[in-house]
Amino acid sequence: MNTQVFGIILFLIIVGVTLYITYWAAKRNKSTSDFYAAGRSLKGWQNGIAISGDYLSAASFLGIAGLIALNGYDGFMYSVGWLVGYLVVLYVVAEPLRNSGKYTIADVLAYRLKPVPVRTMAAVNTIVISTFYMIAQMVGAGAIIHLLVGIPYEVSVLIIGVLMIVYVVFGGMLATSWVQIIKAVLLMAATILISILVLAYFGFNLSSLFAGVAEKSGEAMLQPGLLYKNPIDLVSLGLALILGTAGMPHILIRFYTVPSAQEARTSVVWAMIIIGAFYIMTTFLGFGAAYFVGKETIVAQDKGGNMAAPLLAQYLAGGPGTVGGELFMATIAAVAFATIVAVVAGLTITASSAFAHDIYTNIIKKGKATELQQFKVARYTAFIVGAVAILIGILGKGQNVAYLVALAFAVAASANLPVILFSVYWKRFNTAGAVTGMLVGLIASVGLVILGPSVMKENALIHLANPGIISIPLGFLASILVTLMTKPETTDEKYEELYVKANTGIGAEL
Amino acid sequence: MGNWSKISSSKEFKELERSKALFVWPITILFILYYLSLPLLAGYAKPLMNTYVVGSVTFGYLYAVAQFFVAWILAFVYVGRARRFDESANKLHDEFK
């Protein structure tokens, strides 16, 4: 059996199933509430799996496995940062947000502050964050699919882009959620299978696996220091990850898809279990690849190490050239593809809601657009966002865009988190503080990266790859200082309303 | 729903708010500091991180994996406490309908 054929069949099955789901969802996709929030019809556990599917990108699956295969301990330490942010989401963000918002983050800010300026700024931030993340996904995706399957870069970007447009425009949030759920299940199944195969070889003894890796690739693999030379930079990255998750628009809007704060809570716990388990298993993927495939072979295929997991799968099922090996590799390629599509669909719907719900409905139309108008605009917007994403993906060919993911988290932590927290928890907070905080957080994080080594390479003015340690305090400080220097909001009773709502769920959007 | 300020100034709501804040913020801040200790130890306490604890498993690896378990445990602790907050919120709900 020709393995290329097998890979294509697998790919077509995934596409077929997801398109059927889109058709099923399209029949139910009739209002703005359906489009943005899946009609608030998801159960907590479903939303929890969908959050995992939204969050675990190809960069996690292939990138982190590669980082661990090449750098050992430092790669694993990096993966810890991807779970911890959810605790902040659970403790202080998810429930108030679900209780006091409708479709977007901006809803919560506009509740008691002056709607036009805060909505505009929040929508801009959402679009900026989603764009950075989208570029990283699209450019990475084109390269990865090209590597795995051999189809031209532009073709893979186009296929991914067209599919996500179809899911989002026709199926809205309901289809997007189920695509994410399917993808999370496929990704976890593949990761669990590879992990078990690796561990079984070592008799399920972690110490033997570590000893094997140390023997093959050197003891340094078990020790910090191979990847991160500057601890301050690493703390900076860690800060952005733990505080950025709670400001990530595409994660936060998922809480509007459930009927209550209790279900939002359940969602986060489910997501934490799945995401945590996944990142613990990245060790087995990475160390397995280092032991069985070897660093030289991995680097020969791709300098970034993205081929570590696929090559490991190929080896475990019989090796290169065997039927089993090629089949397993094709399976991983199909899973990676599903992974990318689910993430970009989530980003597309997020950017669309910021445009259509915040800017069009609430600012241009001042909230006076009919349901039908809003629904139409939302879908048009999604189509345009998707088209732009395809274009950006094609233009970005060959660029190194990996740093954009960390930058997206830094912007979320510096520009979004302070104002989300202050809006809900600080009575004295006002519009001037919110707008300045969002602006300063955005400019500081993006500016520092432009001046830093990721963009300016050796001519960098700032020797810090991750801006978080500077830009996050700046975002908080700007919000606080400007608030204290300007007059309080005159709408105290609006704050009381928000605060009671956020804490009790009384009168929350159903 | 014209009685937001009545709710927010009620003794029960003030009590709910206080117990929530006292529970949520200390844990959140301590957890953030606990997580940041991982990169700091990896940067400045390499000998400790490189110590073998069980066979070839290092202290550094166990310290990193522990973060996952602490996060999970705290998530379940939160769910337990949040049920009590829900009860208070439901009482308020019934009282001020």
Side-chain angles (χ1 to χ4, degrees):
Chain A
M1 164 154 170
N2 186 330
T3 51
Q4 279 287 335
V5 175
F6 175 78
I8 291 167
I9 290 172
L10 207 61
F11 166 79
L12 289 176
I13 291 174
I14 292 178
V15 172
V17 170
T18 49
L19 285 179
Y20 179 76
I21 286 172
T22 308
Y23 165 75
W24 164 83
K27 287 190 296 195
R28 286 167 178 71
N29 190 14
K30 290 199 171 46
S31 69
T32 42
S33 164
D34 294 328
F35 185 85
Y36 294 131
R40 309 201 197 283
S41 65
L42 290 187
K43 294 186 174 61
W45 64 271
Q46 293 169 340
N47 191 36
I49 301 173
I51 289 172
S52 317
D54 210 354
Y55 188 72
L56 299 171
S57 61
S60 310
F61 179 44
L62 303 175
I64 292 183
L67 277 181
I68 295 173
L70 302 181
N71 307 292
Y73 184 84
D74 277 359
F76 179 61
M77 186 169 52
Y78 176 58
S79 75
V80 175
W82 292 86
L83 171 74
V84 287
Y86 280 90
L87 206 77
V88 181
V89 174
L90 178 65
Y91 270 67
V92 290
V93 175
E95 293 181 47
L97 191 93
R98 172 62 192 86
N99 279 335
S100 51
K102 199 169 174 187
Y103 301 134
T104 61
I105 303 180
D107 288 340
V108 181
L109 311 184
Y111 203 102
R112 65 169 181 117
L113 303 172
K114 291 191 180 61
V116 174
V118 294
R119 255 194 212 282
T120 311
M121 198 56 227
V124 167
N125 274 350
T126 294
I127 291 160
V128 168
I129 292 168
S130 304
T131 307
F132 286 158
Y133 217 81
M134 182 80 92
I135 298 171
Q137 292 298 324
M138 287 302 251
V139 176
I144 284 169
I145 301 287
H146 175 67
L147 213 60
L148 286 168
V149 196
I151 52 175
Y153 174 97
E154 291 79 3
V155 177
S156 40
V157 169
L158 200 65
I159 293 174
I160 289 166
V162 168
L163 274 171
M164 79 176 176
I165 289 174
V166 171
Y167 298 151
V168 175
V169 171
F170 295 104
M173 188 50 127
L174 190 58
T176 304
S177 302
W178 281 99
V179 169
Q180 288 167 341
I181 290 170
I182 290 175
K183 162 258 169 108
V185 170
L186 286 175
L187 181 63
M188 285 308 278
T191 309
I192 290 169
L193 183 59
I194 298 175
S195 298
I196 288 175
L197 289 172
V198 168
L199 285 171
Y201 180 88
F202 293 96
F204 292 95
N205 179 337
L206 203 59
S207 176
S208 316
L209 167 65
F210 284 24
V213 170
E215 204 176 312
K216 272 236 159 119
S217 317
E219 213 178 351
M221 285 289 279
L222 309 180
Q223 302 170 348
L226 279 182
L227 180 63
Y228 300 112
K229 306 296 181 215
N230 176 355
I232 297 298
D233 223 345
L234 191 58
V235 171
S236 190
L237 173 65
L239 263 178
L241 291 177
I242 192 168
L243 298 175
T245 313
M248 267 290 176
H250 67 287
I251 300 300
L252 297 182
I253 64 163
R254 292 223 50 92
F255 294 119
Y256 296 123
T257 64
V258 291
S260 68
Q262 286 75 10
E263 295 288 333
R265 186 186 307 158
T266 311
S267 312
V268 191
V269 176
W270 271 85
M272 280 179 78
I273 291 167
I274 296 168
I275 292 166
F278 174 84
Y279 282 111
I280 288 177
M281 288 189 291
T282 55
T283 323
F284 312 137
L285 263 56
F287 276 1
Y291 183 82
F292 293 113
V293 181
K295 280 190 198 183
E296 296 73 24
T297 315
I298 296 169
V299 176
Q301 292 255 354
D302 175 52
K303 277 203 295 293
N306 280 313
M307 290 299 280
L311 286 170
L312 173 64
Q314 185 187 44
Y315 174 90
L316 291 170
T322 61
V323 173
E326 298 303 319
L327 288 188
F328 204 3
M329 192 149 172
T331 309
I332 298 297
V335 170
F337 168 82
T339 292
I340 294 160
V341 173
V343 174
V344 289
L347 293 170
T348 303
I349 207 160
T350 307
S352 309
S353 64
F355 264 118
H357 175 68
D358 291 329
I359 293 177
Y360 169 81
T361 303
N362 281 297
I363 295 170
I364 299 176
K365 289 280 179 183
K366 307 217 173 11
K368 290 190 178 60
T370 65
E371 184 70 12
L372 189 66
Q373 270 176 321
Q374 289 185 46
F375 184 50
K376 261 199 180 139
V377 170
R379 297 170 80 184
Y380 283 132
T381 313
F383 179 78
I384 293 164
V385 169
V388 171
I390 294 174
L391 197 67
I392 290 175
I394 290 174
L395 290 175
K397 185 180 179 175
Q399 298 291 317
N400 184 355
V401 290
Y403 67 90
L404 285 176
V405 172
L407 175 56
F409 273 86
V411 176
S414 318
N416 278 356
L417 184 68
V419 296
I420 293 171
L421 292 181
F422 291 146
S423 297
V424 176
Y425 295 100
W426 190 26
K427 187 172 179 173
R428 174 69 176 77
F429 195 45
N430 67 15
T431 305
V435 174
T436 324
M438 286 191 271
L439 207 56
V440 168
L442 174 66
I443 293 170
S445 39
V446 176
L448 285 167
V449 166
I450 291 174
L451 299 174
S454 300
V455 176
M456 289 179 69
K457 306 282 181 282
E458 54 279 357
N459 314 324
L461 302 173
I462 292 156
H463 297 286
L464 192 68
N466 297 290
I469 203 160
I470 300 173
S471 63
I472 297 168
L474 277 179
F476 275 94
L477 274 176
S479 300
I480 295 169
L481 292 178
V482 175
T483 297
L484 295 177
M485 287 186 307
T486 48
K487 286 199 178 74
E489 291 293 327
T490 46
T491 49
D492 263 358
E493 60 278 9
K494 262 312 216 193
Y495 175 69
E496 269 157 6
E497 190 177 317
L498 169 78
Y499 194 59
V500 171
K501 227 182 186 180
N503 273 298
T504 62
I506 295 172
E509 291 278 342
L510 295 172
Chain B
M1 299 307 284
N3 48 8
W4 297 108
S5 54
K6 222 193 290 175
I7 303 180
S8 73
S9 56
S10 71
K11 203 167 92 278
E12 295 89 339
F13 183 78
K14 285 229 179 327
E15 181 50 40
L16 169 68
E17 176 194 5
R18 227 188 107 242
S19 54
K20 235 185 182 173
L22 280 174
F23 165 71
V24 159
W25 292 107
I27 293 186
T28 305
I29 290 162
L30 284 173
F31 181 77
I32 292 170
L33 295 174
Y34 165 66
Y35 164 65
L36 292 176
S37 70
L38 173 69
L40 285 170
L41 285 175
Y44 298 108
K46 286 200 168 63
L48 168 70
M49 297 303 256
N50 299 345
T51 311
Y52 290 112
V53 180
V54 187
S56 294
V57 180
T58 57
F59 176 83
Y61 178 77
L62 293 175
Y63 196 79
V65 168
Q67 301 253 340
F68 288 101
F69 288 93
V70 170
W72 283 335
I73 290 165
L74 289 176
F76 284 104
V77 167
Y78 177 83
V79 170
R81 279 302 291 268
R83 289 209 182 102
R84 299 230 302 271
F85 297 141
D86 285 348
E87 281 165 26
S88 320
N90 289 339
K91 276 204 197 100
L92 281 165
H93 209 217
D94 297 335
E95 197 175 330
F96 291 98
K97 256 217 167 77

